[in-house]
Amino acid sequence: MSSIVNRARSTSLPNFLAWRALGFRTICSGRLGFAPSNPDSPASAGTKILESLKEEFEVGSRVVSFETGKIARFANGSVVLGMDQTKVLSTVTCAKTDSPRDFLPLTVDYQEKQYAQGLIPNTYMRREGAPKERELLCGRLIDRPIRPLFPSGFYHEVQIMASVLSSDGKQDPDILAANASSAALMLSDVPWGGPIGVIRIGRICGQFVVNPTMDELSASDLNLIYACTRDKTMMIDVQSREISEKDLAAALRLAHPEAIKYLDPQIRLAEKAGKQKKEYKLSMLSEKTLEKVTDLAATRIESVFTDPSYGKFERGEALDNIGKDVRKVFEEEGDQESLSILPKAVDTVRKKVVRSRMISDGFRVDGRHLDEVRPIYCESHYLPALHGSALFSRGDTQVLCTVTLGAPGEAQSLDSLVGPPKKRFMLHYSFPPYCTNEVGKRGGLNRREVGHGTLAEKALLAVLPPEEAFPYTVRINSEVMSSDGSTSMASVCGGSMALMDAGIPLRAHVAGVSVGLITDVDPSSGEIKDYRIVTDILGLEDHLGDMDFKIAGTRNGVTAIQLDIKPAGIPLDIVCESLENAREARLQILDHMERNINSPRAQDGAYSPRLATFKYTNDSLRSLIGPMGVLKRKIEEETGARLSIDNGTLTIVAKNQDVMEKAQEKVDFIIGREIVVGGVYKGTVTSIKEYGAFVEFSGGQQGLLHMSELSHEPVSKVSDVLHIGQYITTMCIETDVRGNIKLSRKAMLPKPERKPASDAGKDSVMKESSTVYIETSSVGETVASMPSIVTPPQKSKLSVPAVVIRTAVECHEAEKSSPVNKNDKPKRATTPKPDRKPKSTASKLTATQKEEEALESIAPEETPAECGETLKQDGKLKSASPKNSSTDSNLVSSSKAKKSTRKENQSENKAEESAFVSTRNLKIGTEMTAKVHEIRARGLVLDLGGELRGMYKFKEDEEAEFEKGDTLQVKCTSFSTKGIPVMALVDEEGEE
C-alpha cells in the first residue's frame, strides 16, 4: 500500500488524472478495478458464440427461412423469418401469474419502423408514434388464426410482437409475420395447438400465383390470404374484382397444400430449439356445476329461445332473470366455487340449447328458416344536404352511410413499407355505444372498427370507376344506428347505395351477408358429426355459433371475404359449400337495393358537389399559392372550396355550384384566363367615362363596356346604370390584335318582348293622313307619296330596317327636333395641310403626336368594324347618308322618285343633311353637321351624333376661336390608325 502512495506522490499530474499512476482503471459502469501492470497491452475481451438454428425451404419458387437463437434470446420464443431481403422478427411472452378472468387476454402487436427501408420518419419528433391502420390490420390478421388454437380454459396473458427488421419492398411482410408468430409459439412453453401455415394467392390473366410480389399483386384481380392447420381451415381474407364462387373455391383448394409447406419446418425447428411445454392452470367448468345449472335453467332457457315474439332486448332481459334465479340458489347453498364460474356455466347451457334446437329442428331463435334473410328496408337520399346518403336496415340492424367527395389532394397518405403511398377511397366504420343501448366512452382507433371498415372498403373498391375517369377523393362514413349482427355487411349495402346517390358511376351494386355454422362434434374424437349452415346470422347466433363467414359481392361475383372461426378449424368443404348459400342471399338483398336506386343519381341539385380541373403554368400557380400558401388558404377560407395543385394542374372541389363559382372567380382574378369571344366574365367597374365604363376582371385585365352595350333600353348617362366598384357580369363581344376587349352587359340581360302592332293602331294611322311619306334622309325629307294602303318593305339584313315609314305628323316633329341649325355658320380656319406619318419610333413621340393620340383615345371602341350598328335619335331610326339612300331605293315605287331623291340630296342645302352617321356608312368625303364636344390644345373633339366622335386638328398658326357647342359643317377626310374619323371644315375645302 505504501508503494502505491509513493507512486502517487511522485507523479506531477493533478489528482483527478492520477488514476493511471495509481494503477486503477478509469470509472466505467460505476465500478473501479486495477489496471494491468503494462498499460500498453490492454486485456482482450472474450469471444461469445451465438448458437443459431435455421430451417430453409421453398414455397412458390421463393426460399423461406426460419432462424432462432441469434437475437431476442430472453423472449419465451423468438423467430426471424426471411424471404429475399425482407426479414421479420416475432416474439412470444406469457405472464407468470393467472388473474381471475373468463377469457384469453391475447395481444398481438405488429410494427413497421421506417429504418426497415432506410428512412427517417417524416414526423415532428422523427420517430414512430401510435399504431397506424395497417399495423392494426396486420395484428388482427395474426390474431384471427392463432386465437382458436389455445386450449379451452387457458386465460393467462399472452403477448405476441412482430417487428419488420428489413424490407426490400417486394414482399408484403404481413404473411411473414403470421408464419413467424406461429413458429415462435411452437418454440415457447405456452400450450398451443399449432402450427399453422399462412399463404397469399394472386391471379394474373386467369393464372393463380403463389406468394406474388407487390408488383404482381397490383396487376392481380385476386388477393387471397389463407391460413390453415394440416387438415382444417383457420382463416380466410379475400379482396377481389368480382371473382366467381367457382374460381374462388379453386383458389382455396390450391392455397391449402401450399400453406401446409410452412408446417414441417416449424416442427423441425421446435424439435431442435423448442422449450418443454409448461403446465399452466386451466379454468375449467366442473361437471357437477354444469349439470346443476342445466337442471335449473335449461327448460326455461329453451322456452325463451323458442318464443319468436321476443326481441333482442326482451330476450336478453329474460335470460338475465334466469341467471339471477340460478345465482340465488347457489348463494343459498354457499357454493363459492360454483358462483365464480356461474356466468360461464349459464352461457354454456344457453349454447347447448340453441345449437341442439337448430340442428334437430332447423329453426332459429327468431323463428326463421336456416336460409331465410331478415326483412330489409332501403332508403337512399336520406340526407339531401349531403353529397350522398343511404339508410339500410336488415332486421334490427340499421346503418346510416354518408358519402363525401373531396379533391385529389385530400387523399389519405400512407406511411407503410409496401403498397401505394396514398389512398383515395376510405370507409370509416363507427360503432357507438348507443347502438346496443350501452354506456361507453369513445376513444381513439378501435381494432374492431378498423377491421370492419376495411372489410367494407375492400368490398366496394372493386366497383369504383378508375381514377382517370373519376378523380375525386371519396370518403364513406358508416354509422351503426342499431346492432343485431352483421353490421359490417350492412355497411357494404348502405355504402353502395350512398355511392349511387352521390352520382358515382359504380359498375354494379355490392351487397354483403354473413353466414354462420352450427356443428355437432363428437367429444371423444373431435370430428364433426352434423352441421347446419345459417344465413344472415343474428348477434346471438354469432356468439353461440362456430363461424362468422362474411361474404360481399355483386351479381357477377365476390369482391371481399372475411372468415373468423371459434373452434380449432373447419373443413374446407364446408367453407366452399357456404359460398353458394351466401350467393343466394346476396341476390335477394340486391333486388331490394336496386328497386330503391339502380343507377347513379344525376348531380343537378343545389347540394351536388362540383369538380373542375384547369391547366396553368408553374408561374401562374406560384402566384396563386402565394408566400407560404397564404393566397390559397385565403381562397379556401373565404369560399369553402378545396384547391389541389399537382403537376401544373389546379383542381377545385366545391360542395355545390355556388361555392364553385366563387372559387373560380377568385382564381380567375389572381391568375386570369384566356379571353374568348362569347365568354362570360365577372368583374368590377374601375372607372366611368362619358362613352362607357372600364371593367377589371380575370386576373387584372380591363375591358371597355360601351354605353350602347349597357342595356336594351336607351341610356343617357353611364352613371345612371353603373357606379365605381360595382360587381357586374359581362360577355366579351369583341377583341382586336392590340388586346383591346369590348364587353357587353345587355347580352346578359333578357331581351324585351316586342309588342305586335294591333289593327286598331294601324287604322288610326291611316285615318290621320291618307298620305304616307317614305323618309330616306335624317331630316325627314319627303321623297315620294303613296296611297294609304302601303305594302310593307322586305326585312333588311340589319337588325333594324334601313327605311322607316312615318306619317306626316311624325316627320314634322322630327324636323323640329333635328339638331341642324341653318343659321349657324362655321368658323373659318386656314387650309389644312395633308397629314404625314412621322418617321420617329413609338418610343420617341413628339408633343404633336402625343396630342393626336389623346384625341384618338376619346372613343377607341368606335371603329369601322362596328358593322350593323344603327344610330337612334328620339327613338326614331335614320338612314345614314345620301349615298346610302341608293341602297334602299328598291323600296321606292318609281325610278323617277329615285332620281329626284339623288338630285335633292346633292343640292346646296347640305346643312340639312343627317348629323347622325354610323361608322359603317361614314366614308371619306361624307359631309355632315357636327358639334364641338371638347376643345383641346391641338384640336377639337367633334360630336358627329349618335355617340360617334371625330377629331379636327388645328393648323400651325390657327387660333382656337371655337366654343363648346358650336355647330360646324364638316367633311370626313381620313381615318386615324385607331379608326377615328379625321374631319375638315367644308368652307376650307371649298377655298382650296
Side-chain angles (χ1 to χ4, degrees):
M1 189 67 184
S2 60
S3 62
I4 296 177
V5 174
N6 293 332
R7 288 165 56 187
R9 290 174 178 175
S10 64
T11 180
S12 60
L13 295 175
N15 292 334
F16 65 90
L17 296 178
W19 291 99
R20 284 287 182 185
L22 296 176
F24 288 100
R25 296 192 186 102
T26 56
I27 299 176
C28 182
S29 301
R31 299 171 61 188
L32 287 176
F34 284 99
S37 59
N38 186 6
D40 296 331
S41 58
S44 60
T47 302
K48 183 177 180 64
I49 300 176
L50 296 178
E51 182 182 2
S52 64
L53 300 175
K54 196 172 186 179
E55 287 288 335
E56 291 186 350
F57 56 101
E58 186 174 341
V59 177
S61 73
R62 286 181 173 81
V63 177
V64 183
S65 64
F66 287 111
E67 185 178 4
T68 186
K70 183 173 287 188
I71 59 176
R73 298 167 61 90
F74 283 176
N76 201 328
S78 65
V79 169
V80 175
L81 189 148
M83 181 183 293
D84 297 335
Q85 296 302 317
T86 300
K87 295 183 182 298
V88 179
L89 168 67
S90 184
T91 60
V92 174
T93 54
C94 183
K96 302 295 187 297
T97 59
D98 180 22
S99 302
R101 58 175 66 92
D102 59 352
F103 65 95
L104 171 64
L106 172 65
T107 304
V108 179
D109 294 323
Y110 172 88
Q111 190 174 32
E112 293 179 347
K113 292 192 175 182
Q114 293 298 314
Y115 73 78
Q117 57 181 349
L119 295 177
I120 296 176
N122 191 23
T123 60
Y124 180 77
M125 299 297 295
R126 294 297 186 266
R127 65 181 301 167
E128 289 77 13
K132 299 183 285 290
E133 282 191 13
R134 171 177 164 80
E135 294 175 334
L136 296 179
L137 293 173
C138 291
R140 282 174 54 88
L141 188 72
I142 300 170
D143 183 291
R144 286 157 52 195
I146 287 176
R147 184 178 293 271
L149 295 177
F150 284 93
S152 178
F154 179 78
Y155 297 147
H156 291 261
E157 187 175 3
V158 178
Q159 184 178 31
I160 298 175
M161 297 190 68
S163 304
V164 182
L165 301 180
S166 67
S167 173
D168 57 6
K170 296 180 180 179
Q171 293 290 332
D172 195 327
D174 56 355
I175 300 301
L176 307 183
N179 286 291
S181 300
S182 173
L185 283 169
M186 291 294 294
L187 296 179
S188 69
D189 60 7
V190 178
W192 188 62
I196 63 169
V198 186
I199 197 74
R200 173 178 270 114
I201 302 293
R203 189 177 71 166
I204 303 175
C205 299
Q207 300 295 322
F208 292 112
V209 180
V210 180
N211 277 342
T213 63
M214 295 305 299
D215 293 337
E216 292 173 338
L217 203 59
S218 62
S220 173
D221 63 351
L222 173 66
N223 183 5
L224 166 65
I225 300 176
Y226 181 83
C228 65
T229 59
R230 194 170 296 276
D231 56 353
K232 292 184 179 181
T233 300
M234 297 301 302
M235 186 269 297
I236 298 175
D237 197 282
V238 174
Q239 179 181 358
S240 61
R241 300 174 188 168
E242 298 182 274
I243 186 172
S244 65
E245 283 77 8
K246 181 180 178 181
D247 293 343
L248 182 58
L252 292 174
R253 298 189 184 280
L254 171 65
H256 192 88
E258 293 293 334
I260 290 177
K261 295 180 181 180
Y262 283 92
L263 304 184
D264 291 336
Q266 296 181 51
I267 295 174
R268 292 196 298 267
L269 188 65
E271 291 175 352
K272 298 177 183 178
K275 297 180 180 179
Q276 183 70 28
K277 294 300 179 181
K278 186 178 178 181
E279 295 293 334
Y280 286 90
K281 180 182 178 181
L282 303 180
S283 299
M284 305 296 294
L285 291 175
S286 64
E287 293 294 333
K288 178 182 177 182
T289 303
L290 190 59
E291 290 178 0
K292 190 171 183 179
V293 172
T294 302
D295 295 338
L296 293 173
T299 304
R300 296 177 61 187
I301 291 175
E302 185 176 1
S303 64
V304 172
F305 285 136
T306 54
D307 188 354
S309 62
Y310 278 108
K312 175 180 179 179
F313 295 104
E314 292 81 3
R315 186 185 304 113
E317 185 178 356
L319 293 175
D320 290 341
N321 293 333
I322 295 173
K324 292 177 181 179
D325 295 340
V326 174
R327 175 175 289 276
K328 289 180 181 179
V329 174
F330 282 95
E331 287 176 351
E332 292 174 357
E333 296 178 356
D335 191 350
Q336 297 297 327
E337 181 180 356
S338 299
L339 285 173
S340 61
I341 59 174
L342 184 60
K344 188 73 174 178
V346 174
D347 188 68
T348 302
V349 174
R350 293 177 187 173
K351 186 175 181 179
K352 288 183 178 180
V353 171
V354 173
R355 294 166 66 92
S356 62
R357 182 171 181 268
M358 293 178 69
I359 290 179
S360 60
D361 301 337
F363 286 97
R364 302 161 67 172
V365 173
D366 55 356
R368 286 183 294 151
H369 294 285
L370 298 179
D371 58 350
E372 186 177 350
V373 180
R374 287 174 286 176
I376 296 174
Y377 173 80
C378 302
E379 181 182 351
S380 61
H381 210 58
Y382 177 70
L383 301 172
L386 305 184
H387 295 171
S389 61
L391 188 65
F392 181 85
S393 299
R394 182 169 54 219
D396 290 334
T397 297
Q398 186 182 62
V399 171
L400 173 64
C401 291
T402 60
V403 172
T404 307
L405 304 181
E410 295 181 298
Q412 182 183 1
S413 298
L414 304 175
D415 287 333
S416 57
L417 299 181
V418 294
K422 291 186 177 182
K423 183 171 68 171
R424 71 182 186 98
F425 175 63
M426 301 160 282
L427 194 150
H428 295 155
Y429 171 94
S430 179
F431 193 88
Y434 63 78
C435 69
T436 54
N437 195 25
E438 295 177 355
V439 177
K441 184 175 68 172
R442 300 292 297 163
L445 285 178
N446 181 280
R447 292 185 180 229
R448 179 180 178 277
E449 292 182 345
V450 172
H452 281 45
T454 302
L455 174 61
E457 180 183 300
K458 292 190 294 186
L460 295 171
L461 186 62
V463 297
L464 283 178
E467 186 174 1
E468 296 78 15
F470 192 80
Y472 285 94
T473 295
V474 184
R475 182 194 183 206
I476 298 179
N477 272 84
S478 177
E479 303 286 340
V480 180
M481 298 290 103
S482 59
S483 173
D484 192 13
S486 191
T487 54
S488 61
M489 294 295 97
S491 299
V492 173
C493 302
S496 179
M497 295 174 61
L499 290 173
M500 285 276 192
D501 183 59
I504 300 177
L506 301 183
R507 291 208 302 266
H509 261 313
V510 182
V513 68
S514 184
V515 177
L517 178 68
I518 303 296
T519 58
D520 184 12
V521 180
D522 187 357
S524 59
S525 63
E527 296 294 329
I528 297 177
K529 299 187 296 183
D530 197 3
Y531 66 91
R532 295 289 184 271
I533 297 175
V534 185
T535 303
D536 187 20
I537 58 177
L538 297 171
L540 180 64
E541 293 169 340
D542 182 15
H543 172 68
L544 302 177
D546 297 328
M547 176 181 76
D548 185 8
F549 194 11
K550 302 181 180 70
I551 306 172
T554 65
R555 293 186 181 275
N556 300 325
V558 176
T559 59
I561 282 179
Q562 178 177 299
L563 171 64
D564 296 323
I565 62 172
K566 294 182 178 67
I570 294 174
L572 184 57
D573 293 337
I574 297 179
V575 174
C576 295
E577 182 183 349
S578 303
L579 293 175
E580 185 61 26
N581 292 47
R583 189 185 73 85
E584 295 176 358
R586 187 171 74 244
L587 294 180
Q588 298 178 34
I589 300 171
L590 287 172
D591 290 338
H592 287 271
M593 295 169 59
E594 291 172 353
R595 280 197 293 268
N596 184 266
I597 180 171
N598 59 0
S599 62
R601 191 181 301 278
Q603 294 299 301
D604 53 359
Y607 301 103
S608 301
R610 296 290 186 269
L611 182 145
T613 303
F614 305 94
K615 289 287 186 179
Y616 292 108
T617 62
N618 291 332
D619 293 337
S620 299
L621 293 176
R622 196 176 297 113
S623 63
L624 174 65
I625 296 172
M628 303 297 291
V630 172
L631 293 179
K632 176 176 173 290
R633 289 196 300 270
K634 184 179 180 181
I635 294 175
E636 292 179 339
E637 292 173 0
E638 292 179 352
T639 63
R642 299 291 182 90
L643 275 62
S644 176
I645 299 173
D646 186 23
N647 295 330
T649 302
L650 170 65
T651 304
I652 304 176
V653 178
K655 61 181 181 180
N656 53 49
Q657 184 62 31
D658 292 339
V659 175
M660 174 61 73
E661 291 177 357
K662 292 179 182 178
Q664 286 182 346
E665 290 169 11
K666 297 284 186 182
V667 172
D668 291 344
F669 191 81
I670 296 175
I671 297 180
R673 51 177 169 162
E674 183 181 359
I675 305 301
V676 181
V677 176
V680 178
Y681 306 96
K682 294 184 178 181
T684 305
V685 178
T686 57
S687 62
I688 295 179
K689 307 294 182 182
E690 294 182 0
Y691 49 83
F694 287 94
V695 181
E696 184 177 351
F697 63 101
S698 188
Q701 302 184 69
Q702 282 199 348
L704 175 65
L705 177 59
H706 193 263
M707 180 186 293
S708 61
E709 297 295 338
L710 286 176
S711 175
H712 293 286
E713 302 297 332
V715 177
S716 59
K717 292 178 64 177
V718 180
S719 58
D720 294 341
V721 181
L722 302 177
H723 59 83
I724 295 177
Q726 184 176 349
Y727 196 68
I728 59 175
T729 302
T730 60
M731 177 185 290
C732 176
I733 58 175
E734 185 181 339
T735 59
D736 59 19
V737 293
R738 295 184 180 88
N740 296 326
I741 303 170
K742 186 173 181 180
L743 304 174
S744 175
R745 179 175 174 268
K746 71 179 182 181
M748 303 302 299
L749 301 176
K751 293 184 179 180
E753 297 182 359
R754 296 183 178 179
K755 297 181 179 180
S758 61
D759 296 338
K762 294 181 180 179
D763 295 341
S764 62
V765 173
M766 297 304 177
K767 290 178 181 179
E768 183 177 354
S769 176
S770 61
T771 305
V772 178
Y773 296 92
I774 299 180
E775 180 188 83
T776 58
S777 67
S778 61
V779 295
E781 181 182 15
T782 303
V783 177
S785 61
M786 298 181 66
S788 58
I789 301 177
V790 180
T791 304
Q794 296 181 355
K795 192 173 183 180
S796 171
K797 294 182 179 179
L798 300 176
S799 60
V800 294
V803 177
V804 181
I805 301 176
R806 293 178 178 169
T807 63
V809 176
E810 292 174 338
C811 293
H812 181 65
E813 293 177 355
E815 290 179 2
K816 291 181 179 180
S817 61
S818 176
V820 179
N821 189 352
K822 297 180 180 180
N823 296 326
D824 293 339
K825 293 183 179 181
K827 302 290 183 179
R828 297 292 306 225
T830 59
T831 305
K833 295 182 180 181
D835 296 335
R836 294 182 181 179
K837 296 182 179 179
K839 296 181 180 181
S840 60
T841 60
S843 61
K844 300 178 181 180
L845 297 176
T846 63
T848 304
Q849 290 169 326
K850 293 180 179 179
E851 182 62 28
E852 290 177 359
E853 288 188 358
L855 289 173
E856 292 178 358
S857 66
I858 55 175
E861 78 287 350
E862 307 246 0
T863 63
E866 294 178 287
C867 299
E869 180 179 351
T870 59
L871 305 177
K872 303 178 183 180
Q873 176 67 18
D874 295 335
K876 307 300 180 179
L877 299 174
K878 310 291 183 177
S879 63
S881 67
K883 294 183 180 181
N884 285 337
S885 63
S886 59
T887 60
D888 301 320
S889 59
N890 60 328
L891 301 177
V892 184
S893 61
S894 173
S895 60
K896 294 181 179 181
K898 300 178 186 177
K899 296 179 181 179
S900 62
T901 304
R902 293 194 187 99
K903 292 179 180 179
E904 293 178 2
N905 290 338
Q906 295 172 2
S907 63
E908 295 179 356
N909 192 11
K910 295 180 180 180
E912 296 180 358
E913 291 182 348
S914 172
F916 309 104
V917 185
S918 68
T919 55
R920 176 183 178 184
N921 299 323
L922 182 60
K923 299 180 181 179
I924 296 177
T926 303
E927 298 181 8
M928 64 189 67
T929 302
K931 286 186 178 182
V932 177
H933 178 72
E934 187 177 350
I935 302 174
R936 298 194 179 182
R938 297 185 180 275
L940 302 177
V941 178
L942 301 178
D943 184 0
L944 305 182
E947 303 173 358
L948 180 64
R949 302 288 186 266
M951 64 179 178
Y952 168 73
K953 301 177 183 178
F954 292 156
K955 308 309 177 290
E956 294 180 358
D957 300 331
E958 185 176 3
E959 296 181 359
E961 300 177 356
F962 303 93
E963 294 181 0
K964 189 173 182 181
D966 288 348
T967 302
L968 306 178
Q969 191 69 20
V970 295
K971 179 180 180 180
C972 180
T973 59
S974 64
F975 291 91
S976 68
T977 56
K978 294 186 177 180
I980 306 301
V982 180
M983 315 302 292
L985 299 177
V986 173
D987 287 354
E988 294 175 357
E989 293 293 331
E991 290 179 0
E992 291 178 358

